[in-house]
Amino acid sequence: MQHDDGQALPGVSYVMPVLNEVTEVRAAVGSLLEQDYQGPFEVILALGPSIDGTNELVAEMSAADPRIRAVDNPVGSTPAGLNVAIRASEHPIVVRVDAHSVLPQDYTRIAVRTLQESGADNVGGIMRAEGRTPFEKAVALAYGSRVGLGGTPHHVGGQAGPAETAYLGVFRRERLFAVGLFDEGIKRGQDWELNRRLRTTGGTVWFTPELVVTYRPRPSLRRLVRQFVATGLWRGELARRFPAGNGLRYFVPPLMVVAVALGLVAGLVGVVGALLGGPLAWALTGFAIPATYLLFVVVGALAVSRRSDPATRAWLLVVLPCIHVGWGVGFIIGFLTRTSDLTTHTGR
């Protein structure tokens, strides 16, 4: 197939790291096979050491469709899987895909066109979280609001143009190799770090609101907390490693955690002071800090969930503090400790 100008459409390689995603991977791959892009393509799944039947399902899918290829990712981490798949790819454009993501039919067509028109090295769009249960719907609301994840363009939208980073990413393959692929020592935040290298070597990362990807949130509170503690850990590590490259928004959750903790300690000191009739009763005012944060959560939750069902609204009151505190605590630990020494640094 050709462009309107007569030039052949470039081939596309979809790369997807997969680990314990038996409930999501079929839909994710299906959305790739249904793309309306008319150029040649391949789907490369980097299989980690799954224990839930994922690899057996992928073997079944690849046997049924020769466009689906599986490669081993014995390390199991996301960046290692991406690198294995990219090295095995054949086409000049690499489309990074997540097993939790479902691409709309026009995604690749719009992305390739934008990549060529902008001259960028990487193009990304909006991550639109979509939940199925009240809990997942609450997580989706948090993802898509400023009160949840701070309002970056790839979560809430914005004008097309150069960006700091991009969700997933549609890359020029030669530029990935030129900057050394993903850093396998970074289990989270590896997209941001790779995009940093693309930008510092003269390249452009481009955001376009035309690209909208459906993302499936984690299905339980435990998995959500684990996700955000791990994300915070690695953001703290990256903030220490690349201090000049981090925006102010990354420091808001850890500063909030510190302020709330100090406020609670001061308040408890004030309680003791009041009971003993000593001069420390004034420290009761410390409780104003956690009270202000709780008010922020309640007002924010009500504002972004006014069209939601009661169960989703109730869950959002739990989800927001779990995201903020999990991310903030993780950031503090990651900033103060070598993340490579920690065990809670999984890539999923």
Side-chain angles (χ1 to χ4, degrees):
M1 187 61 67
Q2 295 183 324
H3 279 297
D4 293 337
D5 60 8
Q7 291 184 329
L9 286 166
V12 165
S13 297
Y14 299 98
V15 297
M16 182 193 299
V18 183
L19 179 66
N20 293 325
E21 299 289 2
V22 71
T23 60
E24 308 290 351
V25 69
R26 188 183 291 278
V29 173
S31 75
L32 307 181
L33 302 179
E34 293 164 8
Q35 292 291 297
D36 63 14
Y37 185 69
Q38 298 299 308
F41 73 92
E42 61 182 349
V43 179
I44 305 173
L45 306 180
L47 303 183
S50 295
I51 57 173
D52 66 348
T54 295
N55 294 0
E56 291 78 5
L57 174 60
V58 169
E60 183 185 306
M61 291 164 60
S62 60
D65 191 326
R67 295 172 298 183
I68 302 171
R69 280 199 288 143
V71 293
D72 284 332
N73 173 27
V75 174
S77 74
T78 296
L82 287 167
N83 286 347
V84 166
I86 292 166
R87 290 189 184 103
S89 67
E90 298 175 353
H91 294 305
I93 293 179
V94 171
V95 180
R96 190 225 157 137
V97 197
D98 189 281
H100 280 254
S101 302
V102 178
L103 302 189
Q105 275 191 305
D106 59 1
Y107 181 87
T108 306
R109 175 168 51 83
I110 292 172
V112 172
R113 186 197 74 213
T114 306
L115 196 70
Q116 294 176 324
E117 289 176 354
S118 66
D121 297 328
N122 180 19
V123 169
I126 297 172
M127 170 184 162
R128 185 184 63 201
E130 245 179 47
R132 291 162 285 200
T133 65
F135 171 77
E136 290 178 7
K137 289 176 182 176
V139 177
L141 285 172
Y143 265 93
S145 68
R146 294 185 185 281
V147 73
L149 294 186
T152 51
H154 65 270
H155 287 303
V156 301
Q159 294 294 315
E164 178 186 349
T165 190
Y167 177 56
L168 296 181
V170 178
F171 301 87
R172 297 182 190 273
R173 186 175 184 270
E174 78 274 8
R175 283 290 286 147
L176 287 173
F177 282 97
V179 297
L181 300 179
F182 288 90
D183 185 334
E184 295 185 20
I186 298 174
K187 302 299 188 293
R188 296 258 181 163
Q190 64 271 0
D191 299 314
W192 178 89
E193 194 278 330
L194 174 67
N195 286 315
R196 183 193 67 82
R197 277 183 280 134
L198 288 173
R199 289 186 288 105
T200 56
T201 55
T204 302
V205 178
W206 192 268
F207 167 79
T208 174
E210 283 189 89
L211 294 179
V212 181
V213 182
T214 299
Y215 173 84
R216 300 297 185 195
R218 298 296 190 270
S220 70
L221 194 61
R222 182 182 64 83
R223 289 184 67 182
L224 181 76
V225 171
R226 276 189 62 192
Q227 175 191 3
F228 275 92
V229 170
T231 301
L233 280 170
W234 283 98
R235 175 48 60 186
E237 167 88 4
L238 292 171
R240 177 164 44 79
R241 211 182 283 188
F242 310 108
N246 292 271
L248 183 63
R249 69 178 181 273
Y250 294 124
F251 295 90
V252 173
L255 288 174
M256 178 278 297
V257 167
V258 171
V260 168
L262 291 176
L264 286 171
V265 170
L268 292 171
V269 169
V271 169
V272 174
L275 289 174
L276 298 177
L280 296 175
W282 64 267
L284 281 166
T285 57
F287 284 133
I289 298 174
T292 301
Y293 172 69
L294 288 177
L295 181 64
F296 166 79
V297 168
V298 171
V299 172
L302 292 176
V304 303
S305 66
R306 53 186 178 272
R307 297 179 184 173
S308 302
D309 59 273
T312 299
R313 300 183 87 180
W315 266 120
L316 189 57
L317 292 169
V318 177
V319 163
L320 284 174
C322 285
I323 288 176
H324 297 156
V325 175
W327 205 97
V329 169
F331 184 101
I332 292 167
I333 296 170
F335 191 79
L336 298 176
T337 314
R338 280 179 55 84
T339 307
S340 56
D341 296 335
L342 301 171
T343 55
T344 53
H345 62 276
T346 55
R348 297 296 311 153

